Amino acid sequence: AAPVAAGAGPQGGVFDSEAAATSGADTDGSMLAGGTHRIVVIALADCWVHSSADDSDVRQFSLHKGQTFALTFSKRLTLKLGNAGGVRIRYNGQEQPAPGDMGQVRTLVFPPQAQ
């Protein structure tokens, strides 16, 4: 994974493993440098994903079992999952509760208080 420069806007991508996505990431649950946040989505099953970070970086893609999506953002992230039970989510280093059931479509907003 490429290093993320503070204040550079949303950055991230899809990785073939959780280890590749989280290398160099914060592990203590704190915000990253520059007040940015980090989301990591780990696919336990195939899942369609639509993300909108900071109202500017919009992505739509499929995650396949074993792949990981990692993204840093500064203000707000809207994440729509096509199979909410097929993913695990880690936000700023903290494991999140299951976002939904297998086959369930869910829209999540981070930070959570931004809903």
Side-chain angles (χ1 to χ4, degrees):
V4 177
Q11 293 188 9
V14 174
F15 300 89
D16 288 333
S17 71
E18 185 176 350
T22 57
S23 64
D26 63 322
T27 54
D28 64 357
S30 63
M31 286 195 306
L32 300 170
T36 58
H37 304 270
R38 182 175 177 88
I39 191 96
V40 178
V41 180
I42 301 108
L44 307 173
D46 289 358
C47 181
W48 171 85
V49 179
H50 180 275
S51 72
S52 175
D54 299 333
D55 297 320
S56 63
D57 181 8
V58 178
R59 302 171 192 222
Q60 184 173 311
F61 54 91
S62 290
L63 273 181
H64 301 287
K65 183 177 181 178
Q67 288 185 316
T68 299
F69 171 64
L71 183 72
T72 58
F73 63 98
S74 57
K75 297 182 186 85
R76 184 171 192 244
L77 173 71
T78 302
L79 197 63
K80 186 172 186 178
L81 304 168
N83 180 12
V87 297
R88 283 182 23 231
I89 296 176
R90 189 173 303 130
Y91 174 63
N92 288 345
Q94 296 292 313
E95 196 75 29
Q96 300 297 299
D101 297 323
M102 292 298 277
Q104 185 180 22
V105 177
R106 291 286 315 273
T107 300
L108 310 173
V109 178
F110 295 92
Q113 61 269 28
Q115 294 184 44

